[in-house]
C-alpha cells in the first residue's frame, strides 16, 4: 500500500552511504511465475518453504510424445520436457483493457500477461494509471520468445488483420504505452537470458537522465512463455538442457538448465521523487550496468574477465564496496561451463577480500530458467529477501561442484535458510550471445518517525468493472485487511486517493482494519448492508442539496420504541 505520509531517505545498513541522485526506488511489483504464483507474496512462500516448482510440459501446449527421445542424435527430437510452467495463459479480460475478443485472440499471450501485470504493479505502487496519461513514462520489456507468432505463420490461412500486431515483440512494450497513454520510451529488449536485467538498466537510465520531469515513471518488465517444441529441440541439440530435469546450480551434478516461463513488472521512480510523494519503497536500485563478453572461444561461452569488469564498474559507480554486499543472486543456470566462470567473476570482484564468505544463490533452482524473464525473477527474489530479512535456500546444490574453489573465491552457496545480514545485494545476468547485465540493490528507506494522522473513522473504497469482479475484489481486500501490518490510515488513503476507480463500487467506514474487513466480508457474502457500508454502481454526477432547516422527510423519526 502506498503511504500518505512521508518517508526519509537514509539507507540503513552496515556501510556508510548517503542517498545519491541516481538512486532509483522500486515502488510497485507484480508477477506471474510457475506453480500458480500470481503475486510476490506467493513467490516468497515458495522460496521460504524450499519448494521445487519444476514440472512437465502441460498437455494443452503440445504433444511431447511426438518430440521426445532420450537419444540426442535423433533428428527433430528433444531429450527433456521438464520446465517451470504457468497454470493459465489463456484467461484474459479483453473488455477490461478495451480490446475486442477478435483482436485479443491474435495477441501473443506475453502481451496479455504484461498488460495485466503492468496494471497490477501500478496498483501496488498506489498510482492511478489515469494520472500518467500523456506523461513521459517509459516501458522497457525484456522478451525474446516469438513462439506465438511462429505458430500463427505456420497456418497462413488463419492469419488475420490482427496477426502482425499481435505477434510483434515490440508490442509487448508498445501495448502498455498505448493502453495508459504513456509518451516515453517504449522498447522491447532482446539480449536472450539477460534481457530483463538489461531492460531494468534502461529503465533506470531513463530516470537518471531526468527524462520524467513531468511526474512520469518507468516500468521494467520481463516475460517468457514456452509454446512450441522447437526451442526444446534446439536447446537439446546444443546440449544446454538438463537431462535430470533440474537446475543444479553450483552442484557437481549440474548437467544443464531447465526452461521456465513467467514474468514480472516493477514500477520505478527516482528515490527523491518517491520520498516526496510518500510512496512505499520496496527496495532501492543503487546501480546497474551492461556490457558484452567480446570475443570468446565460442559465442555462448561466457567471459569471467568481462563479467568481473562489469561488476567492479557497477559497484564502484554505486558507491558500494565488496564488503558492503551481503548476498549475490547469481545467474546460476546449472551448467558445467557457466557456473565456474560466473563464480570466478563473482569471487574476484566481490568475494575474495571479504572477512566472511559471500552468500550466493539462484532462484532458477526453484523455478527453472525464465530466459528473457530471468533477471526479473532474480530481482523479485532479492526484493523479498530485503523485506523478510532471510536468505532462502538454493535447491539441488549439493554435492558442491569441485571445479569451483568456493573457499578461495570467498563464496558460499546457501543450501539452508539463514538470516540476511544488512547490506547491499548483487544481481547478475548474462545471455548466451555474450550480453551481460548487473545490478546492485539496497534496502528501502527507513520509515518516517512521524505517525500518520489520527481519525476516528475512515472510508475504504473498493471498485471493479463488473459486479462479479467487485465481489472478488472486496473479498481480497478483506483478507488483506485481516493480515496487514500497515497503518489503517495508509490503506484507507490509498484506496480512495491512489487508485483508478471503476463503475462498480463498495465502501465501508470503520476505525480499524479489523472492523473494515468485517464489513467488507458482509458485502462479499451478499448480505444487505447498512450503517457504515454500501455497495452499488456509481450513478454518475453527485448532487448536493442544502435545505436549511427543512430537512425532514416522511418517516424521518420512525424507529423501534425503546
Amino acid at each position: 500500500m502506498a503511504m500518505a505520509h512521508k518517508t526519509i531517505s537514509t539507507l540503513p545498513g552496515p556501510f556508510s552511504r548517503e542517498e545519491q541522485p541516481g538512486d532509483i526506488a522500486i515502488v510497485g511489483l507484480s508477477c506471474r511465475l510457475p506453480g500458480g504464483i500470481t503475486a510476490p507474496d506467493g513467490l516468497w512462500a515458495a522460496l521460504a518453504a524450499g519448494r521445487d516448482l519444476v514440472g512437465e510440459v502441460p498437455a494443452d501446449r503440445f504433444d511431447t510424445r511426438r518430440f521426445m527421445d532420450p537419444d540426442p542424435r535423433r533428428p527433430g527430437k528433444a531429450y527433456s520436457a521438464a520446465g517451470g510452467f504457468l497454470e493459465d495463459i489463456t484467461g484474459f479480460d479483453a473488455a477490461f483493457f478495451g480490446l475486442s475478443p477478435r483482436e485479443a485472440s491474435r495477441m501473443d499471450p506475453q502481451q496479455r500477461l504484461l498488460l495485466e501485470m503492468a496494471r497490477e504493479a501500478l496498483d501496488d505502487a498506489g498510482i492511478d494509471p489515469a494520472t500518467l496519461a500523456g506523461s513521459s513514462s517509459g516501458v522497457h520489456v525484456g522478451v525474446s520468445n516469438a513462439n506465438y507468432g511462429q505458430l500463427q505463420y505456420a497456418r497462413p490461412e488463419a492469419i488475420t488483420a490482427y496477426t502482425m500486431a499481435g505477434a510483434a515483440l515490440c508490442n509487448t512494450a508498445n501495448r502498455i504505452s498505448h493502453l495508459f497513454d504513456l509518451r516515453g520510451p517504449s522498447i522491447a529488449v532482446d539480449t536472450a537470458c539477460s534481457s530483463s536485467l538489461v531492460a531494468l538498466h534502461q529503465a533506470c537510465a531513463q530516470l537518471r537522465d531526468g527524462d520524467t520531469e513531468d511526474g512520469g515513471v518507468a516500468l521494467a518488465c520481463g516475460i517468457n512463455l514456452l509454446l512450441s517444441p522447437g526451442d526444446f529441440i534446439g536447446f537439446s541439440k546444443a546440449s544446454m538442457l538438463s537431462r535430470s530435469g533440474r537446475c543444479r546450480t553450483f552442484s557437481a551434478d549440474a548437467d544443464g538448465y531447465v526452461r521456465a516461463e513467467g514474468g514480472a513488472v516493477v514500477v520505478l521512480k527516482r528515490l527523491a521523487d518517491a520520498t516526496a510523494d510518500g510512496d512505499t519503497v520496496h527496495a532501492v536500485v543503487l546501480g546497474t550496468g551492461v556490457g558484452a563478453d567480446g570475443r570468446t572461444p565460442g559465442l555462448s561461452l561466457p567471459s569471467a574477465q568481462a563479467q568481473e569488469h562489469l561488476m567492479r564498474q557497477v559497484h564502484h559507480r554505486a558507491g558500494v564496496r565488496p564488503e558492503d554486499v551481503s548476498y549475490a543472486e547469481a545467474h546460476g543456470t546449472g551448467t558445467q561451463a557457466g557456473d565456474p566462470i560466473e563464480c570466478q567473476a563473482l569471487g574476484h570482484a566481490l568475494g575474495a577480500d571479504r572477512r566472511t564468505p559471500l552468500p550466493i544463490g539462484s532462484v532458477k533452482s526453484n523455478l527453472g530458467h525464465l530466459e528473457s524473464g530471468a533477471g526479473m525473477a532474480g530481482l523479485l527474489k532479492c526484493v523479498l529477501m530485503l523485506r523478510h530479512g532471510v536468505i532462502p535456500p538454493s535447491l539441488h546444490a549439493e554435492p558442491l561442484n569441485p571445479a569451483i574453489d568456493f573457499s578461495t573465491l570467498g563464496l558460499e552457496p546457501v543450501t539452508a535458510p539463514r538470516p540476511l545480514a544488512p547490506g547491499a545485494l548483487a544481481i547478475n545476468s548474462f545471455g548466451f550471445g555474450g550480453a551481460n547485465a548487473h545490478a546492485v540493490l539496497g534496502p528501502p528507506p527507513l520509515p518516517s518517525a512521524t505517525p500518520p494522522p489520527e481519525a476516528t473513522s475512515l472510508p475504504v473504497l473498493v471498485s471493479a468493472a463488473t459486479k462479479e469482479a467487485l465481489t472478488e475484489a472486496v473479498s481480497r481486500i478483506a483478507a488483506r485487511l485481516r493480515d496487514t501490518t500497515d497503518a489503517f490510515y495508509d490503506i484507507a488513503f490509498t484506496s480512495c486517493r491512489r487508485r483508478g476507480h471503476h463503475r462498480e463500487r463498495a465502501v465501508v467506514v470503520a476505525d480499524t482494519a479489523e472492523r473494515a474487513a468485517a464489513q467488507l466480508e458482509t458485502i462479499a457474502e451478499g448480505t444487505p448492508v447498512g450503517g457504515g457500508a454500501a455497495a452499488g454502481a456509481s450513478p454518475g454526477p453527485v448532487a448536493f442539496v442544502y435545505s436549511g432547516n427543512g430537512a425532514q422527510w416522511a418517516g424521518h423519526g420512525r424507529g423501534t420504541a425503546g
Side-chain angles (χ1 to χ4, degrees):
M1 293 288 182
M3 295 187 290
H5 56 286
K6 299 292 187 286
T7 59
I8 62 176
S9 57
T10 302
L11 297 178
F15 59 98
S16 177
R17 183 189 183 280
E18 295 298 322
E19 178 182 328
Q20 298 181 6
D23 290 347
I24 305 298
I26 299 175
V27 298
L29 305 168
S30 65
C31 66
R32 297 285 189 279
L33 295 169
I37 295 172
T38 58
D41 287 347
L43 173 60
W44 181 253
L47 294 176
R51 290 177 57 198
D52 185 334
L53 301 174
V54 172
E56 296 289 326
V57 175
D60 61 354
R61 298 296 176 87
F62 50 86
D63 186 358
T64 57
R65 294 171 298 180
R66 295 179 55 194
F67 302 99
M68 291 294 299
D69 194 291
D71 184 354
R73 297 169 297 180
R74 287 285 304 278
K77 304 293 183 180
Y79 57 74
S80 175
F85 293 92
L86 302 184
E87 290 188 351
D88 178 25
I89 63 170
T90 59
F92 180 66
D93 189 349
F96 179 86
F97 293 102
L99 295 162
S100 71
R102 290 182 64 189
E103 183 174 7
S105 71
R106 296 298 170 177
M107 286 170 56
D108 188 330
Q110 294 179 132
Q111 295 183 23
R112 303 198 296 255
L113 287 168
L114 282 167
L115 287 177
E116 294 176 348
M117 289 190 289
R119 179 59 194 247
E120 291 172 8
L122 289 171
D123 281 347
D124 182 64
I127 297 174
D128 179 355
T131 64
L132 299 178
S135 73
S136 58
S137 296
V139 182
H140 306 260
V141 177
V143 59
S144 60
N145 196 315
N147 284 169
Y148 197 71
Q150 294 163 354
L151 291 170
Q152 293 194 66
Y153 300 147
R155 296 180 58 215
E157 70 279 6
I159 293 175
T160 74
Y162 299 111
T163 296
M164 297 303 295
L169 292 185
C170 64
N171 285 338
T172 53
N174 299 163
R175 289 270 185 194
I176 298 172
S177 301
H178 179 265
L179 174 68
F180 299 125
D181 190 19
L182 310 181
R183 310 292 177 85
S186 187
I187 304 172
V189 179
D190 181 6
T191 59
C193 308
S194 58
S195 296
S196 59
L197 213 61
V198 173
L200 175 73
H201 170 71
Q202 290 189 168
C204 290
Q206 180 196 354
L207 294 169
R208 292 186 184 116
D209 290 344
D211 292 343
T212 54
E213 296 292 345
D214 56 4
V217 301
L219 274 64
C221 323
I223 190 69
N224 190 50
L225 289 180
L226 311 178
L227 306 179
S228 167
D231 294 339
F232 283 87
I233 296 169
F235 286 124
S236 290
K237 297 307 179 189
S239 299
M240 292 182 176
L241 298 187
S242 167
R243 288 183 172 278
S244 62
R246 293 298 182 272
C247 287
R248 303 183 184 277
T249 311
F250 313 130
S251 173
D253 299 328
D255 61 351
Y257 84 90
V258 176
R259 305 188 72 207
E261 62 184 13
V265 174
V266 296
V267 181
L268 306 172
K269 281 185 175 182
R270 287 178 294 186
L271 179 58
D273 294 337
T275 301
D277 293 342
D279 294 317
T280 294
V281 177
H282 297 293
V284 180
V285 182
L286 306 179
T288 61
V290 298
D293 287 332
R295 189 169 184 85
T296 63
L299 177 67
S300 60
L301 189 67
S303 166
Q305 292 74 24
Q307 289 190 40
E308 177 187 347
H309 175 74
L310 177 62
M311 293 175 195
R312 290 184 183 277
Q313 183 182 64
V314 172
H315 286 253
H316 175 72
R317 290 176 178 173
V320 176
R321 301 168 301 175
E323 58 267 33
D324 297 331
V325 180
S326 59
Y327 173 82
E329 174 69 9
H331 190 62
T333 53
T335 64
Q336 289 293 341
D339 285 2
I341 289 174
E342 183 180 19
C343 285
Q344 180 182 336
L346 284 168
H348 289 172
L350 303 176
D353 297 328
R354 297 170 58 91
R355 294 182 179 178
T356 59
L358 173 65
I360 59 174
S362 175
V363 73
K364 293 176 181 64
S365 66
N366 302 89
L367 304 176
H369 182 3
L370 268 69
E371 298 172 341
S372 55
M376 280 293 111
L379 175 71
L380 197 58
K381 173 185 173 180
C382 288
V383 171
L384 294 168
M385 287 169 52
L386 288 169
R387 178 184 300 177
H388 294 278
V390 175
I391 304 175
S394 282
L395 310 182
H396 318 304
E398 297 176 318
L400 295 179
N401 191 340
I404 305 174
D405 190 347
F406 292 105
S407 177
T408 300
L409 292 171
L411 305 176
E412 184 177 6
V414 177
T415 58
R418 67 169 71 175
L420 174 67
L425 278 60
I427 308 165
N428 198 49
S429 190
F430 55 90
F432 78 154
N436 303 319
H438 193 79
V440 187
L441 207 63
L446 294 169
S448 171
T450 303
E454 294 184 4
T456 55
S457 59
L458 298 165
V460 176
L461 175 62
V462 186
S463 73
T466 66
K467 292 181 179 179
E468 294 78 11
L470 179 65
T471 299
E472 176 68 18
V474 165
S475 296
R476 291 186 179 186
I477 295 298
R480 173 68 185 273
L481 286 165
R482 291 288 188 191
D483 296 335
T484 189
T485 57
D486 294 336
F488 181 54
Y489 178 91
D490 292 340
I491 296 172
F493 182 94
T494 299
S495 74
C496 294
R497 301 294 299 276
R498 301 188 67 164
R499 282 285 187 272
H501 298 302
H502 305 284
R503 174 176 173 79
E504 298 293 334
R505 305 183 185 187
V507 62
V508 301
V509 179
D511 56 357
T512 66
E514 293 78 10
R515 290 191 177 96
Q519 293 184 63
L520 288 170
E521 288 164 353
T522 298
I523 293 174
E525 293 165 359
T527 305
V529 295
S538 173
V542 177
F544 292 88
V545 178
Y546 300 91
S547 56
N549 292 326
Q552 296 82 13
W553 60 89
H556 186 185
R558 184 180 299 161
T560 303

